[in-house]
Amino acid sequence: MVEGEFLTTAAAPSAEQAAVARSPIGVSDEAMTGAWRVIIARVPDRYVTYYYHENDDARLRAALQLRAERWVASHEG
């Protein structure tokens, strides 16, 4: 089962699939197309994605990172 949470439609599905494929279990920050980046929160059978732009306020990235970490923690068992 795969679950995605999209905050924007920043990248084509193939770009998202590539980022998810290279992300480890846990929380990672991956490059997308152009200046878009994605934070991927991943557990063995699910993942969530949080998109942001490199020009966004640093507080947004920090908030998304924290949200991703909390999501992973809530799914650890």
Side-chain angles (χ1 to χ4, degrees), residues 12-75:
S14 60
E16 177 190 341
Q17 290 169 353
V20 169
R22 67 180 176 258
S23 69
I25 297 296
V27 177
S28 61
D29 190 326
E30 305 288 340
M32 297 291 288
T33 55
W36 287 99
R37 298 194 61 86
V38 61
I39 296 174
I40 300 170
R42 189 172 186 179
V43 293
D45 62 342
R46 302 173 77 184
Y47 71 90
V48 196
T49 54
Y50 303 94
Y51 293 94
Y52 70 98
H53 194 275
E54 290 177 355
N55 293 333
D56 288 341
D57 190 310
R59 292 174 294 182
L60 173 62
R61 187 207 173 280
L64 294 175
Q65 181 80 21
L66 180 60
R67 186 171 179 180
E69 290 168 0
R70 287 180 177 164
W71 186 88
V72 168
S74 73
H75 288 83

